[in-house]
Amino acid sequence: MQQIIQSQRDFFKTNTTKDINYRKQQLQKFENVLKANEQLMYDAIYKDFKKSEFETFTTELALIYNDIKEAKKSVKKWSRKRRKRTNLINQPGKSYVFAEPLGVSLIIGAWNYPYLLSFAPVISAMVAGCTIILKPSEVPTNTSSAIAKIVNENFEANYFKVVEGGIPETTALLNEKFDKIFFTGSTTVGKIVYQAAAKHLTPVTLELGGKCPAIISSDCNLKIVAKRLVWSKFINAGQTCLAPDYILVEKGFENELLSALKKEIENSNYNPKNNNFVQIIDQKNFDRLISLIDKDNIYFGGNYNIHERIIEPTILNNVSLEDKVMQEEIFGPILPVISYKNIEDTIAYIKSNPRPLSCYYFGKNAQLKNKVLTEISFGGGCINDAVMHISNSHFSFGGVGSSGIGSYHGIAGFRAFTHFKSILERPTWFELKLKYYPLTKKKMKMIKTLFRISS
């Protein structure tokens, strides 16, 4: 690993990756390589957790291709020198900002969307002009192998290299010095990554998770709300960091909502054979999820198949805030529904917990919508929808507090792997003597005047 990192550092010092044309060429090559290996990726992810070609393309590859397209189109604009206003005390002169890549980057991907959450930050690093070491999650073993094969057989290791492995390999990588670390995963592991980066003062982007609430008002469009909630919760069998983790519904409206959710789940006919449902990724997560299902609270579903690692979409009702299912991020096809009397108490409850990655409000009341948006701190979200904000590459995507540090996608991703170097350029034909010795009261008075009117 030290040899790989050193080879990338040596290659970066040649300034090759700083060339705009080189970046565009690598982005185009990456797109071509991915398209040529789509079937390999489909087969691998299906072996890992029965994810269909349809869902793999729509929830992963389509977003990756869109990010590449925007990066190729915008790399020149994002990278250009930007003029800044020069204040009075630095006149005559001109000011500008250079964008320069940070250098050798380490990207650690996640298992739940193994292609998207590995390759999307890779695109950000490429467009910024960094070299890349990618450590995909080892949990989906076939997908990890496919990622390594695709990259390592098509790119030089001194520019883009995949390192496979588990905790020992990740630990060994984190012991080394990088110029940028990008991690997607749990808050617990995120803290470990952050501590490792601190030893080398390495800048970090952390994309983490949390319990994302969905607040439902009685004035919502129930049919559409049920359709969007069910899709966003149970896509990828709920193994989505942005998925609504629990529902807070206005009291007196919960029965209507529960009935609509049940009907929508039944209409969706969730089953891997229908290409719209997946397995739980491994036995460890399967057992954890089963332990969260209180049989006394099951409104719908609750059945599971141990051998196939399938948990059917499950709705829990009469859940209290103290129940086990409310003490951790669910990350599976279990949806607790809790009623509320007072929106103030609901907002206070959300604010009393770690800030979520996303928050969703469903309803027509503009006052309540603004209250949710202005009073609750969260990474990003939707009004009358859920999860879909991830599909808008014009948004930056990231958490806040324990749900993440920094953001990416589009220009935000470019900035995540870039240092912006501020430059003041001045001519030598003129120089005020105010700042030079001898330091007099008259000069001090003039300096105070200049600072007061300078802008």
Side-chain angles (χ1 to χ4, degrees):
M1 291 183 188
Q2 291 175 341
Q3 290 176 344
I4 295 169
I5 295 166
Q6 188 57 52
S7 71
Q8 291 206 355
R9 198 169 300 285
D10 292 341
F11 180 62
F12 180 75
K13 289 178 180 178
T14 67
N15 297 317
T16 302
T17 64
K18 294 181 180 180
D19 181 74
I20 300 300
N21 289 329
Y22 180 84
R23 299 187 214 180
K24 292 175 73 172
Q25 289 167 5
Q26 297 308 307
L27 287 163
Q28 184 61 61
K29 179 179 179 179
F30 192 33
E31 180 179 4
N32 294 343
V33 166
L34 291 176
K35 288 183 175 179
N37 286 277
E38 277 190 8
Q39 195 59 53
L40 172 64
M41 291 189 282
Y42 292 144
D43 293 342
I45 202 168
Y46 187 80
K47 289 177 183 176
D48 284 327
F49 54 118
K50 297 293 188 290
K51 190 166 184 175
S52 69
E53 292 187 13
F54 183 93
E55 289 207 350
T56 300
F57 184 82
T58 55
T59 65
E60 302 204 52
L61 299 186
L63 301 178
I64 292 169
Y65 292 145
N66 188 59
D67 280 357
I68 293 175
K69 180 181 178 181
E70 183 175 7
K72 289 189 299 183
K73 180 182 72 174
S74 304
V75 58
K76 186 175 181 180
K77 179 175 69 175
W78 293 344
S79 303
R80 70 187 179 197
K81 181 175 72 175
R82 297 189 179 276
R83 294 293 297 268
K84 297 292 182 179
R85 186 173 179 178
T86 303
N87 57 358
L88 181 61
I89 61 173
N90 284 305
Q91 296 289 358
K94 55 184 179 180
S95 304
Y96 45 89
V97 174
F98 269 112
E100 64 176 17
L102 286 171
V104 181
S105 62
L106 171 64
I107 295 171
I108 304 174
W111 59 260
N112 55 323
Y113 290 89
Y115 299 127
L116 178 64
L117 299 181
S118 292
F119 289 152
V122 164
I123 295 164
S124 297
M126 278 187 173
V127 72
C130 292
T131 65
I132 305 140
I133 293 176
L134 170 62
K135 165 58 184 66
S137 172
E138 73 281 6
V139 177
T141 55
N142 295 285
T143 309
S144 176
S145 296
I147 289 172
K149 178 179 174 62
I150 290 168
V151 173
N152 294 343
E153 290 184 1
N154 290 281
F155 289 90
E156 296 295 330
N158 63 357
Y159 172 65
F160 184 12
K161 172 71 174 178
V162 169
V163 174
E164 288 192 275
I167 294 174
E169 289 76 14
T170 304
T171 302
L173 283 167
L174 289 173
N175 284 334
E176 302 301 324
K177 177 176 173 55
F178 289 90
D179 301 305
K180 173 72 181 186
I181 296 177
F182 190 108
F183 170 79
T184 305
S186 69
T187 301
T188 300
V189 180
K191 292 177 181 179
I192 297 171
V193 173
Y194 206 16
Q195 289 174 339
K199 295 177 183 177
H200 302 290
L201 298 178
T202 301
V204 177
T205 298
L206 300 177
E207 296 297 338
L208 309 176
K211 294 183 74 65
C212 303
I215 303 170
I216 317 297
S217 181
S218 61
D219 64 352
C220 69
N221 183 331
L222 182 58
K223 184 177 180 181
I224 296 298
V225 167
K227 185 174 287 292
R228 292 177 179 173
L229 269 176
V230 166
W231 178 86
S232 61
K233 174 61 181 181
F234 297 112
I235 192 169
N236 214 43
Q239 298 168 116
T240 304
C241 58
L242 293 170
D245 193 86
Y246 61 100
I247 289 177
L248 297 162
V249 57
E250 189 175 345
K251 193 168 184 62
F253 188 60
E254 61 265 36
N255 289 334
E256 291 179 63
L257 177 66
L258 287 165
S259 178
L261 292 174
K262 176 184 175 183
K263 183 178 179 180
E264 183 60 33
I265 292 172
E266 291 173 336
N267 290 341
S268 298
N269 196 18
Y270 283 105
N271 192 311
K273 295 178 181 177
N274 297 327
N275 295 330
N276 67 346
F277 208 54
V278 304
Q279 292 176 319
I280 304 305
I281 187 63
D282 59 18
Q283 195 63 41
K284 178 183 176 182
N285 279 280
F286 181 88
D287 293 341
R288 179 187 63 81
L289 288 167
I290 294 303
S291 74
L292 299 180
I293 301 176
D294 186 335
K295 293 181 179 179
D296 294 334
N297 292 336
I298 295 175
Y299 173 82
F300 178 84
N303 297 312
Y304 53 87
N305 185 313
I306 296 175
H307 301 293
E308 296 184 7
R309 300 199 313 273
I310 297 292
I311 302 174
E312 71 175 344
T314 299
I315 299 176
L316 302 181
N317 192 22
N318 300 317
V319 176
S320 78
L321 299 177
E322 289 73 37
D323 286 349
K324 184 178 179 181
V325 75
M326 293 300 295
Q327 303 310 308
E328 61 181 77
E329 184 179 4
I330 296 170
F331 223 69
I334 303 167
L335 182 59
V337 177
I338 302 170
S339 61
Y340 70 86
K341 291 182 181 178
N342 188 308
I343 191 66
E344 299 289 349
D345 293 339
T346 298
I347 290 176
Y349 168 73
I350 297 172
K351 291 169 68 175
S352 70
N353 288 285
R355 288 178 279 185
L357 181 59
S358 293
C359 181
Y360 308 110
Y361 173 75
F362 292 82
K364 300 174 184 176
N365 189 310
Q367 185 177 359
L368 286 182
K369 176 189 73 174
N370 290 330
K371 196 171 188 64
V372 168
L373 292 177
T374 57
E375 294 189 20
I376 300 174
S377 177
F378 54 93
C382 303
I383 303 297
N384 291 318
D385 207 344
V387 173
M388 287 302 294
H389 58 298
I390 186 69
S391 65
N392 186 349
S393 62
H394 300 292
F395 279 150
S396 61
F397 175 78
V400 58
S402 61
S403 62
I405 297 173
S407 60
Y408 73 124
H409 286 312
I411 191 170
F414 171 81
R415 289 170 176 162
F417 288 85
T418 299
H419 167 64
F420 293 92
K421 187 163 52 180
S422 300
I423 302 296
L424 172 67
E425 183 175 336
R426 301 192 63 205
T428 57
W429 54 263
F430 175 78
E431 178 72 336
L432 281 173
K433 297 181 180 180
L434 291 178
K435 64 184 180 184
Y436 299 108
Y437 188 83
L439 309 179
T440 65
K441 290 184 177 180
K442 182 178 180 181
K443 285 183 178 180
M444 185 174 178
K445 183 177 180 180
M446 293 177 67
I447 288 172
K448 284 183 176 181
T449 301
L450 283 174
F451 269 101
R452 189 168 60 249
I453 64 175
S454 181
S455 62

